[in-house]
Structures are given as C-alpha cells and as structure tokens.
Amino acid sequence: MSTTEVTTEENAKGAPQRPWRDRKRYLWPLATVMPAMPFLGAGLVSATGWAGWWWVGPMILFVILPGLDLVFGATDDNPPESERERLEADRYYRWVTYLFLPIQYASLVFCCWVWATWDLPWYSQLGLALTMGVVSGVAINTAHELGHKREDVERWLSKIALASSAYGHFYVEHNRGHHVRVATPEDPASSRLGEGFWTFLPRTVWGSLRSSWHLETKRRSKGSHTPFDHEILIAWAMTVVLFVALTVAFGPVVLPWLVLQAVVGFSLLEVVNYLEHYGLKRAKREDGRYERTDPRHSWNADHTVSNLLLYQLQRHSDHHANPLRRYQTLRHFEESPQLPSGYGSMIVVALFPPIWRAMMDRKVLAHYDGDVTLANIHPRKRERYLTRYART
C-alpha cells in the first residue's frame, strides 16, 4: 500500500493530524545578527586588516540583504489560522525578540569603548557610528514588535529598546496615533503620492513628536496621574540617563557619536515608514469616518531573508489589519499591494525621489485601477497628479 493510501485511510478513520510545523522556527534567531554588527565589524577588521568593515551595518542592510533577498526570493506561505493560538503561546518566539536587547546594549557599550580608546581615523569612527545607527534603527523595529503586546514586561522592553535612538515617543505615537490614522492625510507617518522622502522626513519627525505629546496630554487629562507616569518624559529620561552614563564612563568624546547614531536610527525608522504606506489612502464612509484598516492599506514585501531578520515587519499589511498578531503568525494577502523588493533595496531607492516616483507612482495608480483620486496625494502636487492621470 502506498504512503498516500495509508495517509488517506488514516484520515478517513479520523486519525489525529500532525500539527503544522514552522519550517523557519530555528532560523528566527538569525535576527540577532543585526544587533551584533559592531562586534562583527570589529572582528572582520581584526581578521583582514581592512578598515572598511567598520561600515558593516550599511553593507549588510543595503548590499548583502538585498542580494540575499534576490537569491532566496519571496514566500507567500501562511501558518494555518488553526495554529495561531499555539504559535503565539510558544514562548520560544518571545525569547527570540528578548535576546535582541542585551546584544543591542552590549554593542552600544562596545562602540563607546572603541570611540574612546581606539586610535581610529575619523572615517572608521564614522563607519562604526553608522553601523550602530543601523542597530538602533532595527531596535526600533524590535520595540515595535514588543510594544503592541499586552504583557507589561514586553511593553517595558519596548521602551528600553527605544532609548538608544532617543525616540521613546514612538511608543505613544505609533500605538495610539499611527494605527488610528494610518493611510489618511492626517497621519504624519503615512507618506503621500508625489511626496519625496526628504520632504517627508521633517514632516513626520515633527508631526509624530507633536502628535505623541498631544495624545499623552489627552490621556493624562482623564483621571489622576503623577509626574512619574508621563510615558514620553519617562522615555526621554531613559535616553538622557543612558547617554549621561556612557559619557561619564567613557568621556565626552563619545557624545557626538551617540547623537549621530541616534539620528541615523530614527531616520532609518522614518524611511521605512515612508515605504510602508506611500500613496495609500483609506476611503471615507458616509458618516465621514474612515473605513477600517485592512490589508490593502500597507505595502507588503514577502522577501524571505529580510523578514527573518526583521521579525516579518515587511508583512505590514496583516500587522495593520491585526496589530496584536505576533510576528510568527503574520500572513500574506493577495490583495495587499507589493513592493518591488525588500526594505533594504527600497530604502536606497527612496533616498532618490525621482527614481522612487518613477518606480512607485505607477504601482500606486495600478493599485487604484487608474483612479488617482483614490490615492493620498501630496497637497502641493495634487493638481499636477490630477491633470497628469485624469481619466478620459
């Protein structure tokens, strides 16, 4: 009797089915490569004598990762919905994210030690700062995964992960602001059709800061609160304490590098925000409220390697439709608009607005079946887009 026949016969008899297995289960810890990049760079410099390895962070993010995405391609496989509860209860996946933080902070201390005690040329120190900046930027993604959860420990770990990038207000704005207003003109973190990244960056940085402060003030206006439960001030205090402690320990020489890596870190977050919702807009209902967020309102990228290293951040459509889902259960949807490549490649493209618009504007238009009026258009370019893409 063949294997197929045996399986069919067992199924017919109601034999218990094997539980679905996550084929990537033991690959998820590869995400810890990202916070370890300063150590990797130092090791490669020591082994080869080539100072260029101090720039290993940008190399991995913008060269190696896109290459691996090209080689291994994308995958649209989804875990069965019947397995969601079991997968999300499996604490192995949580510890994979928890492990990021001690490596992140070990890397930050290591970088300060190098800046303070090693006799490196300025370009090597700059490369190390950019590498640490990539770590802090990816740490915001880890904070993003942790900050959406209900458990207090994960929420506190989220705030700790944000301290190195001095972007603690992200915890408030992302959860209470961005997820409410995503893919609308009112959201500072949703980029608009025709809006270049360098125009978007100051708008989203200032807009997110202002929005988070407003949201926290509104929360504190209800009920009784003490000065010690102001979530934004607590987050900023954590950064101040961290930077002061490192400056005292290693000397003032490290402070400019700490500031630079923080700016690189939160800029990396914002360029990812730019990719994730470019030109997408939720329609308004008859009552004037926006329709519910669904998988059509975020750009997706199902590239296997990038998603392994970024806790499936690129399955952003499911995340916005179902914010409490843990990374191991996020799904691909056919109706989700797809980026041409993974985040590493698309970040580079976004830095050059004419190339970005040439690549992405037509995809936005195709997503709305040629009706540009459905897109979230940059106000200063609205007339130009309406004229250019007018339906006849």
Side-chain angles (χ1 to χ4, degrees):
M1 184 181 292
S2 69
T3 303
T4 303
E5 291 171 338
V6 170
T7 304
T8 304
E9 183 178 342
E10 289 178 348
N11 288 346
K13 293 179 179 179
Q17 301 295 302
R18 290 184 179 181
W20 178 85
R21 293 182 60 188
D22 179 5
R23 291 179 295 174
K24 295 178 285 188
R25 179 180 177 87
Y26 297 108
L27 295 177
W28 293 115
L30 288 174
T32 57
V33 169
M34 304 304 281
M37 287 187 293
F39 293 110
L40 177 62
L44 290 170
V45 170
S46 178
T48 65
W50 184 50
W53 286 119
W54 290 115
W55 296 70
V56 71
M59 288 182 194
I60 288 178
L61 187 60
F62 302 128
V63 180
I64 297 174
L65 193 52
L68 291 173
D69 278 340
L70 186 63
V71 171
F72 290 96
T75 178
D76 59 2
D77 62 321
N78 292 330
E81 191 62 19
S82 60
E83 294 294 316
R84 178 185 175 185
E85 184 176 351
R86 180 179 67 84
L87 284 171
E88 296 202 343
D90 189 340
R91 300 194 69 84
Y92 166 81
Y93 294 97
R94 303 187 194 189
W95 281 102
V96 169
T97 56
Y98 299 169
L99 186 58
F100 187 102
L101 274 74
I103 302 174
Q104 171 195 352
Y105 275 88
S107 287
L108 185 62
V109 172
F110 173 73
C111 287
C112 288
W113 177 63
V114 172
W115 289 322
T117 63
W118 290 31
D119 185 21
L120 296 178
W122 68 269
Y123 51 83
S124 294
Q125 296 191 63
L126 176 61
L128 182 59
L130 295 182
T131 293
M132 188 61 219
V134 172
V135 173
S136 290
V138 178
I140 299 177
N141 175 52
T142 305
H144 169 262
E145 171 65 24
L146 295 167
H148 275 288
K149 305 307 176 280
R150 292 192 174 99
E151 289 79 357
D152 287 342
V153 65
E154 291 182 286
R155 295 188 176 196
W156 271 105
L157 289 174
S158 174
K159 296 173 185 177
I160 293 170
L162 292 168
S164 69
S165 60
Y167 225 55
H169 61 279
F170 169 84
Y171 176 85
V172 173
E173 167 57 20
H174 181 81
N175 293 298
R176 288 192 258 147
H178 176 59
H179 269 263
V180 174
R181 300 183 298 242
V182 64
T184 71
E186 291 78 24
D187 180 32
S190 292
S191 57
R192 300 156 179 172
L193 181 65
E195 182 179 29
F197 170 68
W198 301 108
T199 302
F200 170 78
L201 181 60
R203 179 175 75 84
T204 188
V205 170
W206 173 245
S208 297
L209 176 60
R210 185 175 56 184
S211 174
S212 66
W213 190 266
H214 171 75
L215 289 167
E216 183 61 4
T217 301
K218 184 177 180 180
R219 181 188 72 87
R220 289 172 53 79
S221 69
K222 301 173 182 178
S224 59
H225 296 276
T226 72
F228 301 103
D229 68 352
H230 195 297
E231 291 190 333
I232 296 177
L233 293 181
I234 289 174
W236 289 347
M238 291 169 70
T239 295
V240 170
V241 169
L242 175 64
F243 282 19
V244 168
L246 291 171
T247 301
V248 170
F250 296 102
V253 68
V254 305
L255 188 56
W257 298 118
L258 285 172
V259 172
L260 177 59
Q261 66 82 33
V263 172
V264 172
F266 71 68
S267 297
L268 189 58
L269 160 75
E270 297 299 0
V271 73
V272 169
N273 274 337
Y274 179 81
L275 310 177
E276 289 172 337
H277 306 286
Y278 178 74
L280 302 179
K281 184 180 177 182
R282 286 152 57 198
K284 279 192 173 180
R285 304 182 311 205
E286 291 183 359
D287 62 3
R289 301 178 69 179
Y290 287 103
E291 64 181 328
R292 182 177 179 179
T293 306
D294 66 36
R296 299 169 298 151
H297 300 129
S298 305
W299 290 98
N300 236 40
D302 279 316
H303 293 78
T304 304
V305 178
S306 294
N307 273 326
L308 277 172
L309 297 182
L310 297 174
Y311 304 120
Q312 298 216 111
L313 175 66
Q314 297 177 142
R315 286 196 164 180
H316 209 61
S317 298
D318 195 14
H319 166 70
H320 266 282
N322 302 281
L324 293 178
R325 273 186 177 266
R326 294 184 178 271
Y327 69 92
Q328 65 270 27
T329 64
L330 291 175
R331 300 160 296 175
H332 163 88
F333 290 98
E334 291 298 331
E335 63 267 34
S336 301
Q338 295 292 320
L339 290 172
S341 186
Y343 282 7
S345 303
M346 298 308 296
I347 287 171
V348 175
V349 175
L351 300 181
F352 301 92
I355 301 175
W356 172 267
R357 286 195 292 268
M359 180 181 294
M360 291 299 298
D361 283 9
R362 57 187 176 84
K363 292 185 74 67
V364 174
L365 199 65
H367 181 61
Y368 290 114
D369 295 325
D371 189 353
V372 72
T373 64
L374 298 178
N376 183 10
I377 307 174
H378 190 40
R380 285 184 291 178
K381 297 185 178 180
R382 183 173 182 80
E383 292 304 319
R384 187 187 312 175
Y385 272 88
L386 292 179
T387 300
R388 181 177 180 182
Y389 297 111
R391 283 186 160 181
T392 57

